Structure formats: structure tokens, C-alpha cells
Amino acid sequence: MAVDYTVIVVYLTAMLGMGWWGMRRARSKSEFLVAGRRLGPAMYSGTMAAIVLGGASTIGGVGLGYQYGLSGAWMVFTIGLGLLALSVFFSARIARLKVYTVSEMLDLRYGGRAGLISGVVMWAYTLMLAVTSTIAYATIFDVLFDMNRTLAIVIGGSIVVAYSTLGGMWSITLTDMVQFVVKTIGVLLLLLPIAVVKAGGFSEMKAKLPTSYFDPLGIGGETIFTYVLIYTFGMLIGQDIWQRVFTARGDRTARWGGTVAGTYCLAYALAGAVIGTAAKVLYPRLGSPDDAFATIVKDELPVGVRGLVLAAALAAVMSTSSGALIACATVANNDIWSRLRGITGRSSDDHDEVGGNRAFILIMGVAVIGTAIALNNVVEALTVAYNLLVGGLLVPILGGLLWKRGTAPGALASVTVGGLAVIGLMAGYGILANEPVYYGLLASLVAYLAVSLATRPTDETVLATWRERLAGRSPELASEPVPAHQ
């Protein structure tokens, strides 16, 4: 394993080196949080694909292929569909707004009264997303070094926190590009063909497995619908995804670069399912489907290649973890802390914006590592995160983009009712049940429509400013929330 260890150590060292290089470029708030809004198509596509395809998409996607066959691709496939929808229909408008967070967009659209509560919901989502990614380090480091779970989380999490804190979005962008290349080589170009060959080819796989493993809908229609509701719609509104859209240097980059990334996700989804199906042929009695990735890598790949593929898995986890971490810190600082400072009358104009955001990444990073050590169930944590996101924020965000009659009271009612409904229904039906997101989303929609129609339309001055920003004719938002119009 010495060669494999060397590959991993070189990779991790390179990540820290890029963090140091990124620190030299991140000299303003815009550079630190959104890479100066200067990414071109190639870099934008690579980093967007890297952040959405994390440990769940790689290790979990192979696990679903092991359990269900080719239909196990649906989870990652719906992520790709969401990214395609975001890129084609919304990304250009989102990029033109020149904001830093989803809550700032809500403030701009509704007149400055919807941001704090939406910021709390988005912060909870990004925190849990970062936690679930950080927990995945334990699986990879256990395969590599037979390492204690807590120590693995601390080491993996600390590396991500270090390079994210040093250079912000520039460091994360550079490391994500490397992670995208490593992931493409390791999973698509090496592990996929080797796994199929080791399993005897597709003809042998079909002969040894039930026909349901090759049924595109074998995983079940209800499961596919739930994936669409959670992951496809989740891609449309997540702070971690929007913050990458904000890095695009123009409309064309956001639209076409995102389309390329979404198409890549579709290919990655199918690859993971095929690898999992091959693993089922080779290891029909694994204790857990999530062990399929680590087992086939450890037992079937040659020295050196094994290290590169494990580095690819590590890259998948780190890209999602770092993206969720900077999103979590951005929301905590810009949407929650800055608003609380405003409420208490403390000015936020006298502090170093880069230093403040850097401090919040460090604080949130420590919180993420601590929470990851305390939690065991990754699936439950991720389900809670996406249920809150979709149930609480999907309606007011898409409503603000698509419906002129939506109002600030309607948005607040939608976030509150949808979020509380999801929490209550998870307590009643269970965290992993489908009903919480179904009924929570419906309650959010009803509250938004009813309250918006029952209250005065949004002030025309607010809407005029909103239209100007959507057209790209206004400067960036100030760091303070947009004032409410009477």
C-alpha cells in the first residue's frame, strides 16, 4: 500500500498548497466569497460538477447500484436534472442579481423582510450538508489506514477547513478543479471499465443477476418521485449551488457551463450504478450496500490505481464538504450575524470583511467537525437537511422568481408554515418517511398563495429595483439588508 499512501499524501498536500495560493488572491469580499465573479466556462463547469457530486453521489451511488442495479442511478440522475434545470432556466437571472446569498435575493425581491428566518433555515441545511460530507471521511480513511472514526473525521475535516479558511472561494475553486480531474480519471476512466471487466462483462452480469437489476424503473416509482422532489428541486435553491452560480463571469458561462456540468452528472450517475452492479456480481453478500465502493477498490484494483481511485473518492467528499462549509459560513455571517448586529444597533462597516468571513469559516468548520463526530446516521442527517430546504424555501424562492404577486408576508408565512410542517411530520411519520416533504411542500405553497393574495402587493419601487437587478443594470448589494419599503 506504500504507493497508494504516497498518492493520497501528495493529493492532500496539494490541497493545502492551493489553499495557501488562494489566500494571496482573496483580498476582497467578492474575491473571497464568489471568486470575484470571474470564472470562465471550463473552470465553472468543473467546479460545479465537483460540488454536486460528493460522497453520497460516489459511495452512495455505487451502493444504490449494488442494491438495485441500473435503477440505482436515479438519485444522482435527479441531481443532474436539477442542475440542468437551474442552468437553463434560472442561472443567468441569478448571476445578474450580484448577491452573495439566497436570503439576499429574497430581501431584494420582497423588500427586506424575508431574509433572517430564511437565513436560519438555509444555515441549518448547509450545516447538515457539510456534516454529512465530513462523516464520509471516516469510511475512506478506514479503508486507507484502518483509522479510528473520530481521528479520520478530524484529519479530513481539518484539511478542508484549513484550505477553505485560507483562500475562501478561490482556494475551493482551485481544489475543486483538481478534484474534478481526479474524480473523472479515477471513477469514470479507471474504476468503471475495470469493474465491468472483473465482473465478466455485461453478458455475465446479466446472467448472474435478477432481471430487476437491469430495469430502469426497478427502484420504484415513488422513490424516483421523492428523489426528484428532494434533489432536483434542492439543486434549484441551495446556497451551496447558488454561490457557485455567483462565481460565473457572465450569463453565457452560467447557462452553458452549468449545462455541461449537469450532463456530466448524468454520466456519473450511470457509471456509479454500473460499478455497483458489477460489485454485486463479485461480492453478492456484503454486509452493507455502502461497502461496495470500498470493497471493489480495495480488492480488485492494482497498486497505484487503487490510490488514485481512493483519492477520487476523497475528492468527491472534499469538494462537497468545502462548498457546503463556505455556504454555511457565508449565510451565518451575512444573513444571520450581520442582521443581528443591525438589530442591536452595532455598525458592521468598521470590520475587515475578508477577515470576518474567514473567521466564520473557521468557526463553522469546528462546529461541523464536532457535529460529525457526535452523529452516526448520515442518511437521516441529509434527509433532515433537504426536507427543511425544500419544504421551507422552495416555494418563496421560485415564487419570487416567477410570480409578481408574491409578497413578503406570503414568503414569511411560506417559510414558517413549510418548515414547521416538515419538522412536525418528521416527528410523526419518521425522519426517512416521504410524507414530511410531500405535505410540508404543499402547506408551504398554500400559505404562500393565501397570504400573498390576502395582503397588499409588493411595493412597485421594490419590484422596479428587482427588475433592474434581474436585467443586470444595478451594482452589487451592499453588505447590509435591503431596507423595507412602506
Side-chain angles (χ1 to χ4, degrees), residues 104-141:
E104 285 182 350
M105 167 264 170
L106 292 174
D107 270 351
L108 184 65
R109 167 60 180 83
Y110 294 111
R113 289 169 287 183
L116 182 58
I117 188 171
S118 64
V120 171
V121 174
M122 189 64 78
W123 173 80
Y125 157 72
T126 53
L127 178 71
M128 296 311 297
L129 185 62
V131 165
T132 56
S133 301
T134 303
I135 291 173
Y137 294 126
T139 301
I140 299 170
F141 279 91

Side-chain angles (χ1 to χ4, degrees), residues 333-482:
N333 188 18
N334 291 268
D335 293 337
I336 300 175
W337 175 239
S338 65
R339 295 169 196 273
L340 293 177
R341 288 168 66 94
I343 290 171
T344 59
R346 296 173 60 188
S347 172
S348 59
D349 295 333
D350 59 350
H351 74 290
D352 174 14
E353 288 187 322
V354 173
N357 282 290
R358 184 173 282 135
F360 265 88
I361 291 180
L362 181 59
I363 293 168
M364 290 299 107
V366 172
V368 164
I369 292 172
T371 307
I373 291 171
L375 285 180
N376 285 314
N377 196 314
V378 179
V379 176
E380 288 191 357
L382 193 61
T383 301
V384 169
Y386 272 99
N387 282 354
L388 282 173
L389 177 70
V390 174
L393 291 179
L394 178 67
V395 170
I397 292 172
L398 292 188
L401 288 169
L402 300 173
W403 192 41
K404 178 182 177 180
R405 187 61 179 80
T407 65
L412 287 170
S414 180
V415 175
T416 304
V417 171
L420 291 177
V422 164
I423 293 171
L425 289 165
M426 284 192 294
Y429 284 98
I431 289 175
L432 298 180
N434 293 329
E435 287 82 0
V437 71
Y438 293 168
Y439 299 138
L441 186 57
L442 179 61
S444 178
L445 177 61
V446 170
Y448 182 71
L449 294 175
V451 176
S452 290
L453 292 173
T455 53
R456 295 178 59 184
T458 304
D459 189 285
E460 186 56 38
T461 305
V462 174
L463 291 178
T465 302
W466 167 254
R467 288 191 291 268
E468 285 289 305
R469 293 296 288 271
L470 277 180
R473 292 193 291 264
S474 295
E476 293 188 20
L477 275 179
S479 58
E480 292 293 324
V482 177

Side-chain angles (χ1 to χ4, degrees), residues 10-32:
V10 169
Y11 168 74
L12 293 177
T13 303
M15 295 300 99
L16 291 173
M18 289 179 187
W20 182 261
W21 187 88
M23 183 176 68
R24 299 167 61 88
R25 299 200 62 169
R27 300 186 181 277
S28 68
K29 180 180 180 180
S30 177
E31 295 283 349
F32 191 82

Side-chain angles (χ1 to χ4, degrees), residues 34-88:
V34 290
R37 308 187 194 274
R38 288 192 284 145
L39 297 192
M43 188 167 283
Y44 178 86
S45 298
T47 57
M48 183 63 88
I51 188 176
V52 299
L53 296 174
S57 300
T58 303
I59 298 170
V62 172
L64 287 171
Y66 182 89
Q67 190 172 1
Y68 297 105
L70 298 186
S71 66
W74 272 106
M75 184 187 78
V76 183
F77 201 83
T78 56
I79 290 173
L81 291 178
L83 186 51
L84 284 172
L86 174 70
S87 302
V88 172

